[in-house]
Amino acid sequence: MAPYQNLEEYNINITNEVKERFSKIIDEIGEDVTRDGLVKTPERAAKAMLFLTQGYKQDATAILKSAMFKESYNEMVIVKDIEVYSLCEHHMLPFFGKAHIAYIPNGHIVGLSKLPRIVDVFARRLQVQERLTEQILECINDTLKPQGVAVVIEAAHMCMMMRGVQKQNSVTTTSGFRGAFKKEETRNEFLKLISSDLS
């Protein structure tokens, strides 16, 4: 698997297969797939779906390993307000929000841009927020082997907003902590820092 790539070129065979399925869905819900506004929609939808699920073809561990550096720094490193866009695996509707990641190095640091990239790798799959949180957490913990790692995700789910209970202002928060972040003092420092505005 490639460590990281923007999916700008699409496998023609897969794209055509997904395109045909979208065309059939549009037809079966009662629309005319041959009218001007919809003629290119199946292809656009196919490419959008392939883009939104490109995480299956990427290796988050390889991304982290590509930018690991030996360093003696051993205090908390936080990257907060990382934009998250994913698809709920139950309804294939979007959920979106922010991820906050912290780790305490244990001999190695990682290039800061790699943390948002691994968020994208796991988010660009059919997901549930709970698993997404766990996958990001375990990838960092297993690869960097830090003293501790923490992940918090806050997200709004369109499956709750557009259908079902139709609650427009609900936000779901998930969290995971390993190592030093199991200690209340360290965890509270992290939670305080991600909720504060340092500017």
Side-chain angles (χ1 to χ4, degrees):
M1 288 189 290
Y4 180 77
Q5 68 181 74
N6 287 318
L7 190 60
E8 295 176 351
E9 295 182 5
Y10 300 88
N11 180 298
I12 293 174
N13 292 333
I14 294 174
T15 303
N16 284 338
E17 287 180 18
V18 178
K19 171 185 169 182
E20 289 305 314
R21 287 174 172 85
F22 273 115
S23 181
K24 188 173 182 182
I25 290 169
I26 292 169
D27 180 64
E28 288 183 351
I29 64 174
E31 258 292 2
D32 178 7
V33 76
T34 65
R35 71 175 174 85
D36 286 348
L38 290 176
V39 169
K40 293 186 178 180
T41 296
E43 181 178 355
R44 291 189 189 108
K47 289 181 177 179
M49 182 58 68
L50 293 174
F51 178 83
L52 294 171
T53 57
Q54 66 179 296
Y56 291 115
K57 292 181 169 61
Q58 296 173 338
D59 186 335
T61 298
I63 289 171
L64 287 181
K65 286 183 175 179
S66 72
M68 283 177 61
F69 309 100
K70 288 184 178 180
E71 188 62 54
S72 61
Y73 183 84
N74 62 358
E75 300 294 333
M76 194 181 303
V77 178
I78 300 174
V79 180
K80 69 176 191 174
D81 297 334
I82 300 167
E83 294 176 355
V84 175
Y85 299 96
S86 193
L87 288 176
C88 163
E89 69 179 32
H90 300 140
H91 304 98
M92 294 178 70
L93 289 172
F95 66 92
F96 57 92
K98 293 180 178 180
H100 314 287
I101 298 173
Y103 74 98
I104 300 174
N106 187 24
H108 288 87
I109 60 170
V110 67
L112 295 177
S113 69
K114 303 307 178 187
L115 296 177
R117 284 185 176 179
I118 67 163
V119 170
D120 283 347
V121 168
F122 292 117
R124 287 177 179 164
R125 303 177 181 188
L126 300 182
Q127 273 290 11
V128 294
Q129 186 175 329
E130 296 88 343
R131 185 193 310 124
L132 176 60
T133 305
E134 186 77 5
Q135 287 176 329
I136 295 167
L137 183 77
E138 294 300 341
C139 180
I140 297 169
N141 195 53
D142 293 346
T143 307
L144 288 183
K145 303 190 185 311
Q147 297 179 55
V149 59
V151 176
V152 170
I153 297 178
E154 305 166 284
H157 292 248
M158 297 304 286
C159 57
M160 290 181 65
M161 298 166 71
M162 293 179 65
R163 61 170 304 286
V165 294
Q166 297 181 55
K167 299 302 180 188
Q168 305 304 310
N169 299 308
S170 62
V171 174
T172 300
T173 302
T174 50
S175 63
F177 306 98
R178 295 288 183 274
F181 287 95
K182 290 286 191 179
K183 297 178 182 177
E184 185 176 358
E185 181 181 358
T186 308
R187 184 168 63 250
N188 287 345
E189 179 185 353
F190 164 67
L191 295 173
K192 181 179 179 181
L193 286 169
I194 65 172
S195 62
S196 65
D197 184 357
L198 301 179
S199 60

